[in-house]
Amino acid sequence: MTYRLTALPAGETVQRRDELLALFAQAFCGAPWHEPPLGAVRSVERLLGTAARNDDFTAVAALDTDGALLGIAAGWTDTVLSAGAPAFEVAELVVAPGHQGRRIGRGLHDALLAAAAPGPALLMTLDVPELTDRYARWGWTVVDRRRPGQEEREYVVMSREG
């Protein structure tokens, strides 16, 4: 399948809310996440809320030839994962399950980091080999383990110099 990567400005990201909801629900209902639909809604609302209020919101989309959303990577500068020091946070990297395994995720990842301000980058993901091994192959290193909020599962914070 042919796809293209394109910058997705905050306003267009917000306009694609319904597509994002469908994408996140598909991607997060299966392994390794096993999230209920409400988890996808919370993730999309967090993403859109940040897009609306954060000047350095950065997003890259993978679109098919008809302009349909196949995946998205998004991030912004934050201090939450870094305990106070500003760093670019890769907040979302999502590819529709039917399009995974085609290097779309890697393309989104690389394009997002290329668009971000130079400097350290952080991300938080489930502490499962499927995810941590992938990010390690892409140059990320585990720097912390956390169990945010009421979560039963453990997450890792990973770092990469930019």
Side-chain angles (χ1 to χ4, degrees), residues 125-129 131-132 142 145 153-156:
T125 192
L126 276 176
D127 189 6
V128 296
L131 299 171
T132 57
V142 173
R145 287 189 159 67
R153 301 177 293 182
E154 192 161 286
Y155 286 74
V156 294

Side-chain angles (χ1 to χ4, degrees), residues 40-128:
V41 172
R42 280 193 297 261
S43 293
V44 169
E45 294 304 329
R46 173 181 177 249
L47 177 71
L48 298 181
T50 302
R53 71 176 183 281
N54 195 317
D55 290 339
D56 79 335
F57 174 85
T58 306
V60 178
L63 305 174
D64 71 11
T65 54
D66 296 325
L69 187 65
L70 303 177
I72 188 171
W76 49 83
T77 300
D78 206 339
T79 59
V80 174
L81 296 180
S82 62
F88 186 79
E89 178 187 342
V90 176
E92 298 295 346
L93 176 56
V94 184
V95 176
H99 298 284
Q100 293 175 2
R102 299 178 183 170
R103 298 189 49 86
I104 295 172
R106 179 63 191 258
L108 288 165
H109 167 271
D110 292 351
L112 178 65
L113 291 177
L122 296 169
L123 64 80
M124 187 165 69
T125 192
L126 276 176
D127 189 6
V128 296

Side-chain angles (χ1 to χ4, degrees), residues 1-37:
M1 157 164 276
T2 302
Y3 68 92
R4 65 185 168 88
L5 297 178
T6 186
L8 198 61
E12 187 176 342
T13 303
V14 171
Q15 290 173 356
R16 288 183 175 260
R17 180 182 186 276
D18 291 344
E19 281 183 279
L20 289 166
L21 286 168
L23 172 66
F24 279 53
Q26 290 173 41
F28 291 137
C29 71
W33 297 98
H34 302 290
E35 288 283 336

